[in-house]
Amino acid sequence: MISREPTIERLALARRLLLEPAALDEPALQEALGCIGGHKVDDCDLYFQITRHEGWSLEEGIVKSGSFGIDQGVGVRAVAGEKTAFAYSDDISHAALLDAARTVRSIAAAGQSKRVKVGDGAAQIGASHALYASIDPIATLDSTQKVALLERVERMARARDPRIVQVMASLAAEYDVIFVARADGTRAADVRPLVRVSITVIAEQNGRREIGSGGGGGRFGLNYFQDDVLARYVDQAVNAALTNLESRPAPAGAMSVVLGPGWPGVLLHEAVGHGLEGDFNRKGSSTFSGRVGQRVAAKGVTVLDDGTLPDRRGSLNVDDEGHPTQRNVLIEDGILKGYIQDSMNARLMKLKPTGNGRRESYAHVPMPRMTNTYMLGGDKTKEEIVASLDRGLYATNFGGGQVDITSGKFVFSASEAFWVEKGRILYPVKGATLIGNGPDALTRVSMIGNDMTLDTGVGVCGKDGQSVPVGVGQPTLRIDRLTVGGTA
């Protein structure tokens, strides 16, 4: 936890941007919350938000698009049992706030769970962190500098190898300010910068074309993207494209697979992380339901969800319900320790919130969501782990995938992978898919690297139609007896 000064500063800024222009004060907030609380509800809150976002894209040296937008509004929610009544408005005003509160009250009284768009106690400051600067990243570079940044990315990529025939680069910046008023008197705010640079290249050789991508970002200003950082993103994209130019069809069958560090943790996020979210476990629909205290993974496997990592894409000073984020140990040395929770599911499961109540915007209800999910490292080197493969796949990057939360079954495509025999990397392969069951795969982890790495800051997680920024990470891992679907 931090001293109260940064917390107070964020609250003051949020009130100035969100409440004062609409002449909303503490009595007005109490009036709205009191209107909802007049009926029997377990909880209610108000969520105010203003977001400014800007984007630029460059292709073939030409600015293809530039955009700027502002979105603001308020979401009003009441929870009774496991039912949620919710209304939102893009008009932040006293009248709209009360109208939304009355709508929520009527929905709650009818015992419905619905989302509708519509035009007593002393407040107390909620605890929070200071994980990133309260800056507007859009203002950290002017328009000319933003375009020049993308032009540098293109020049770097083309200079890297003559086989690069096409370069697409984009930049995005977002300034997000939120204010939460809870029925228990808690008042919380956050000022959330978020930036990202992305690059995609196409390489051509002997009539064959392959694609590669790179990029990263986090909760800081655009001046983070100095040439050394951009060069790493360019190398990532160019190396992937050039590697795939040499790739052969991937073998298929059951085999041991080595996963590289960093972004391959997206498999952990999807195949295991979602199954540890509180709502799925409260309803008994997750394969992890009712298994706290049981072994669910091999010894040495420790999985965390940590929203307190400084400047990381998935980090938050407070979640979207006003709770401070936490470092949650989900699996420790293979034993299931707990789930990630929002306030409603925690209350129904008689547990405490874990700082994972997240929503896409004021127009959405919160739910338990991951922040930065990763596996801790072990004691093996990457070289040792790869050398241990007699015949198998070494996957260093992933594209898309699908997961069934109830069964844990997953299918993931490897965008960059290599075929290994007798401990030697022989050649890159293309078209490999990993097929398995998340909880079962965790029990088949046989070697854990000492090179735990977080991704570069590109993750977006989707759930029930809502998207939020997240982080993933892991060390190099060996997993035995995975099914590889190939093209050979």
Side-chain angles (χ1 to χ4, degrees), residues 114-189:
K114 201 173 180 181
R115 177 170 172 262
V116 180
K117 181 175 180 180
V118 298
D120 94 12
Q124 55 188 8
I125 299 173
S128 68
H129 304 285
L131 305 173
Y132 35 81
S134 297
I135 60 171
D136 178 359
I138 297 173
T140 55
L141 293 180
D142 62 32
S143 297
T144 302
Q145 292 171 316
K146 292 166 186 171
V147 173
L149 185 155
L150 295 179
E151 290 174 338
R152 289 204 310 278
V153 169
E154 183 182 43
R155 288 196 299 271
M156 287 179 182
R158 290 190 179 279
R160 179 75 166 70
D161 194 281
R163 289 171 289 179
I164 299 301
V165 296
Q166 192 169 352
V167 180
M168 294 149 281
S170 64
L171 175 154
E174 180 178 286
Y175 178 60
D176 188 30
V177 180
I178 64 106
F179 178 87
V180 182
R182 296 185 61 87
D184 63 3
T186 300
R187 303 294 181 260

Side-chain angles (χ1 to χ4, degrees), residues 257-288:
V257 174
V258 172
L259 306 179
W263 178 249
V266 68
L267 190 150
L268 179 77
H269 168 104
E270 293 288 358
V272 177
H274 279 297
L276 297 175
E277 291 169 339
D279 48 355
F280 296 125
N281 288 280
R282 176 179 64 82
K283 298 171 184 176
S285 58
S286 169
T287 187
F288 292 105

Side-chain angles (χ1 to χ4, degrees), residues 17-18 25 41 43 54 78 80 97 107 136 169 189 194 215 227 235 246 287 298 325 367-368 460 469 473:
L17 292 179
L18 289 162
D25 53 14
V41 296
D43 197 8
E54 182 177 286
L97 181 61
I107 296 170
D136 178 359
L194 189 64
D227 283 357
D235 286 346
E246 309 295 332
T287 187
T325 51
M367 63 183 81
V460 178

Side-chain angles (χ1 to χ4, degrees), residues 200-271:
T200 300
V201 302
I202 297 176
E204 183 174 8
Q205 177 178 273
N206 300 326
R208 179 176 177 177
R209 287 191 162 206
E210 296 291 348
I211 193 169
S213 62
R219 297 196 179 279
F220 31 69
L222 291 167
N223 44 19
Y224 169 81
F225 298 116
Q226 299 297 311
D227 283 357
D228 60 331
V229 176
L230 297 177
R232 291 199 298 270
Y233 299 161
V234 167
D235 286 346
Q236 182 183 17
V238 171
N239 290 342
L242 297 182
T243 296
N244 284 327
L245 279 178
E246 309 295 332
S247 64
R248 306 179 192 179
M255 64 188 71
S256 293
V257 174
V258 172
L259 306 179
W263 178 249
V266 68
L267 190 150
L268 179 77
H269 168 104
E270 293 288 358

Side-chain angles (χ1 to χ4, degrees), residues 300-344:
V301 172
T302 296
V303 178
L304 285 73
D305 184 86
D306 189 352
T308 70
L309 301 176
D311 296 329
R312 297 300 305 183
R313 181 175 172 85
S315 295
L316 300 170
N317 289 317
V318 294
D319 71 4
D320 294 326
E321 298 181 306
H323 298 116
T325 51
Q326 298 178 184
R327 182 181 186 270
N328 299 300
V329 179
L330 305 177
I331 299 172
E332 185 174 27
D333 198 22
I335 306 299
L336 181 60
K337 293 297 184 178
Y339 310 115
I340 58 177
Q341 302 282 7
D342 64 351
S343 59
M344 184 186 80

